[in-house]
Amino acid sequence: MAIRRPRRSITTMLALERRRTLSRKLKNMSCCDHDCCEPAQTDNRYRRILWAALAVNLTMFGVELVASIIGRSVSLRADALDFLADAANYTVALAVVGLALQWRARAALLKGGVMGLFGLWVAASTIQHALTGTVPHAEVMGRIGLLALAANLAVAGLLYRYRTADSQAMSVWLCTRNDCIANLGVMAAGAGVWMSGTPWPDILVAAVIACLGLSSAAQVVRRARQELRDAPVLFGVPAE
């Protein structure tokens, strides 16, 4: 009996250690299954990038708003409001970064709605500007468009690696990409106004910006709704 007791104690200790090891493995697996292992949304670098993008967009909103009044350009005005919408998007992104996928998807759904409203507003503003027929200042459009393009390209380069993480990150990336396209359009519109002496290039670019906003809004909303439908499965709850 004195010889067997140590054997039973060693066996018990080994069994307990195996259970602890298995418990740790299961805990780690559960963490990954429940959205704890998403570096793109918990990375401090991503937060810093969002703060930088927010500062750039607020600054360029002020610059382009003043320039649109001075230059009488509807495409610059549309681009200025696009900067403001992006600043709001970055604020929301900072508020939900690191939260569960469901919360990020809800935030993306809200942002998609805002993007859609912005697209409709720009479309209405474009129609109004077409009716008045005011000719903008081409030089102001070209210079401010180039400055805005440089700012957006810098932000887009920082956000590129996070663009496919989820609907929230995708909405941030799409806003920045659309800004780059809009800036190129504003510069092209400035050249068109300078050559033609008419407001139609400016009006055309503003209409394109409106279409981009509406298209991106639909894309973000579709992915956010899909993530909300799939969220119960990701969180270990049977889908209804």
Side-chain angles (χ1 to χ4, degrees):
M1 297 295 291
I3 297 175
R4 291 181 180 177
R5 283 177 184 171
R7 291 178 180 175
R8 284 198 297 270
S9 299
I10 292 172
T11 302
T12 302
M13 290 173 62
L14 290 173
L16 288 173
E17 183 61 29
R18 284 196 297 268
R19 289 175 185 174
R20 292 192 191 102
T21 302
L22 180 60
S23 177
R24 286 194 296 267
K25 290 181 178 180
L26 290 174
K27 184 178 180 180
N28 290 337
M29 290 174 63
S30 177
C31 179
C32 289
D33 288 342
H34 285 73
D35 206 28
C36 297
C37 300
E38 295 192 6
Q41 293 301 322
T42 57
D43 191 350
N44 288 331
R45 183 174 181 271
Y46 186 61
R47 289 180 183 273
R48 291 194 296 269
I49 288 171
L50 289 177
W51 278 113
L54 175 60
V56 168
N57 277 265
L58 284 176
T59 301
M60 289 307 304
F61 163 69
V63 170
E64 283 205 322
L65 183 61
V66 173
S68 70
I69 296 172
I70 295 173
R72 298 182 297 178
S73 169
V74 68
S75 62
L76 273 179
R77 190 178 310 157
D79 202 35
L81 289 173
D82 197 16
F83 272 117
L84 180 62
D86 288 351
N89 285 341
Y90 293 130
T91 302
V92 173
L94 282 165
V96 300
V97 66
L99 297 183
L101 179 63
Q102 286 175 314
W103 288 105
R104 298 200 306 273
R106 291 188 184 106
L109 193 61
L110 174 62
K111 286 165 50 176
V114 172
M115 291 167 67
L117 290 174
F118 164 75
L120 291 174
W121 187 92
V122 173
S125 180
T126 302
I127 294 172
Q128 186 272 335
H129 194 74
L131 294 175
T132 59
T134 304
V135 179
H137 297 297
E139 298 82 1
V140 174
M141 295 174 62
R143 291 170 184 172
I144 299 300
L146 180 60
L147 176 62
L149 177 62
N152 279 315
L153 284 175
V155 174
L158 293 173
L159 290 170
Y160 184 78
R161 63 176 292 191
Y162 299 101
R163 71 193 186 284
T164 59
D166 53 38
S167 60
Q168 164 63 28
M170 184 183 72
S171 68
V172 171
W173 161 253
L174 284 176
C175 286
T176 306
R177 183 207 66 179
N178 288 353
D179 282 349
C180 293
I181 297 173
N183 298 148
L184 291 171
V186 169
M187 294 169 63
V193 169
W194 179 76
M195 289 187 294
S196 66
T198 68
W200 291 110
D202 186 45
I203 293 170
L204 177 61
V205 169
V208 171
I209 294 174
C211 291
L212 271 175
L214 292 172
S215 174
S216 296
Q219 189 175 351
V220 170
V221 168
R222 279 197 302 269
R223 177 160 177 178
R225 292 182 64 181
Q226 182 63 45
E227 287 177 351
L228 286 173
R229 284 195 296 267
D230 295 343
V233 177
L234 294 174
F235 280 76
V237 179
E240 295 180 359

